[in-house]
Amino acid sequence: QVQLVESGGGLVQPGGSLRLSCAASGSIFRINTMGWYRQAPGKERELVTTITSGGSTNYANAVKGRFTISRDNAKNTVYLQMNSLQPEDTAVYYCTAHISATARPVYGIYWGKGTLVTVSS
């Protein structure tokens, strides 16, 4: 069993910052790519950013220059630093991770339950 638990969401004013965390626990041998998706009200879930085990990152155009993803491999945790937040960033943010439970390179994709970020004055 693997669990991803997000934290750090909340209400913030436009221009403000938040830092999300996501900790993976359970039957984990290795974690490959980790990332964040978001789903705004009435919209489909979309990719925000990903980070590989080696630290290579990828960002959606909408968040480039404002959001930064990082990870602590020793803690099986991924972070999302969000700066210059705007109302259009309001969404439920979901953590995802590619995790293998054994030494075999067979990865399952796991999701957290999400954390709500609301940007409003």
Side-chain angles (χ1 to χ4, degrees), residues 4-9 18-23 33-39 45-51 58-60 63 67-71 77-82 91-97 110-117:
L4 299 180
V5 179
E6 302 103 333
S7 61
L18 279 177
R19 188 190 194 211
L20 305 183
S21 300
C22 172
T33 300
M34 304 183 81
W36 294 91
Y37 283 69
R38 67 185 181 185
Q39 187 165 18
R45 191 174 298 189
E46 63 177 5
L47 173 68
V48 177
T49 179
T50 60
I51 184 168
N58 176 56
Y59 293 93
V63 306
F67 290 11
T68 302
I69 190 171
S70 61
R71 64 190 283 173
T77 300
V78 63
Y79 305 96
L80 182 62
Q81 177 67 44
M82 304 185 293
V92 176
Y93 284 71
Y94 297 92
C95 169
T96 184
Y110 296 88
W111 292 85
K113 294 183 178 180
T115 184
L116 177 63
V117 172

Side-chain angles (χ1 to χ4, degrees), residues 4 12 29 31 34 42 47 56 59 64 66 68 73 79 83 96 99 107 110 118 120-121:
L4 299 180
V12 63
F29 180 82
I31 302 178
M34 304 183 81
L47 173 68
S56 296
Y59 293 93
K64 278 182 181 176
R66 300 188 299 123
T68 302
N73 292 330
Y79 305 96
N83 299 328
T96 184
I99 296 173
Y107 291 84
Y110 296 88
T118 303
S120 175
S121 55

